[in-house]
Each structure stands twice: as structure tokens, then as C-alpha cells.
Amino acid sequence: MMPTPQPQEVTMTNAPWIEHLAMLPEDSRQRIRRYIEEGYGASLSTFYRCLIANDLIGAMQGGDEENRAALPTFVEYLTAYAPADCYGSIEKLHAWRGIAGAAGA
């Protein structure tokens, strides 16, 4: 009988939201990572605030050419890999206190 594989513990270094940051434009990776790790206190431009709050028209208006072109990739990243409580509405944007805050909630 084969041993049952044990699930790998998710840590700050192997979490899906960290592992998949590379799919985002290079200049955006640290900003998104900082927001997910630290929460709303992280400095966010209009583009990122609108993106995270699910205001895609605002994101298009506030983004530079590279970020506007990558908007579908940002949406894929957020919906597939980011913690569900950190994006999707202005209320979630303002309430998000980072991974440590979410874990302690």
C-alpha cells in the first residue's frame, strides 16, 4: 500500500498569489504583492485602486499603456490567485489589512 501524500503547507513563499505574480507586468508585481501583504495602507495609484475595487472603466482611464494592455491578465490573476477578500469592491479594498490581518481575523 502506498503512503497517502500529505498536503503541502501554504506559506508566504509558496502561496499561489506569490507564485503567479510573474504573470503580471514587471513594474506591477511589487505593488500588487505589497497590497496583498500589507493591505490598504500600501500606496496605490488610481489604476490599482480601481482595478482592486472592480472598477475596470476607472482602471482603463487611470492606467498607463502597459497596464491597460494587461488588464485581462490582472483580472485573471486576482480572480484565480489573490485572496478573495482583498479585491472585488471598494468596501473590500478599504477593509483589506493584508495577509497577516486576514490570517488573524
Side-chain angles (χ1 to χ4, degrees), residues 4-5 13-15 25 36 43 54 57 62-63 67 79 91 94:
T4 305
T13 57
N14 75 350
I36 292 174
S43 177
N54 201 30
I57 292 172
N67 284 341
T79 58
E91 293 80 15
H94 286 242

Side-chain angles (χ1 to χ4, degrees), residues 1 4 6 14 24 26 31 39 70 79-80 85 95-96 105:
M1 180 183 250
T4 305
Q6 298 298 314
N14 75 350
L24 300 176
E26 188 172 350
R31 293 171 195 206
T79 58
D85 289 339
W96 183 249

Side-chain angles (χ1 to χ4, degrees), residues 30-97:
Q30 282 304 105
R31 293 171 195 206
I32 294 294
R33 181 176 182 153
R34 184 171 176 210
Y35 167 73
I36 292 174
E37 288 179 347
E38 298 177 14
Y40 184 62
S43 177
L44 296 171
S45 69
T46 299
F47 171 79
Y48 295 103
R49 284 192 310 272
C50 290
L51 171 70
I52 291 164
N54 201 30
D55 174 5
L56 301 183
I57 292 172
M60 284 296 290
Q61 293 172 335
D64 62 23
E65 185 176 340
E66 180 181 34
N67 284 341
R68 286 192 313 266
L71 196 56
T73 304
F74 280 105
V75 171
E76 177 184 355
Y77 173 81
L78 289 172
T79 58
Y81 306 111
D85 289 339
C86 82
Y87 70 91
S89 70
I90 194 72
E91 293 80 15
K92 285 185 173 184
L93 169 70
H94 286 242
W96 183 249
R97 296 294 176 246

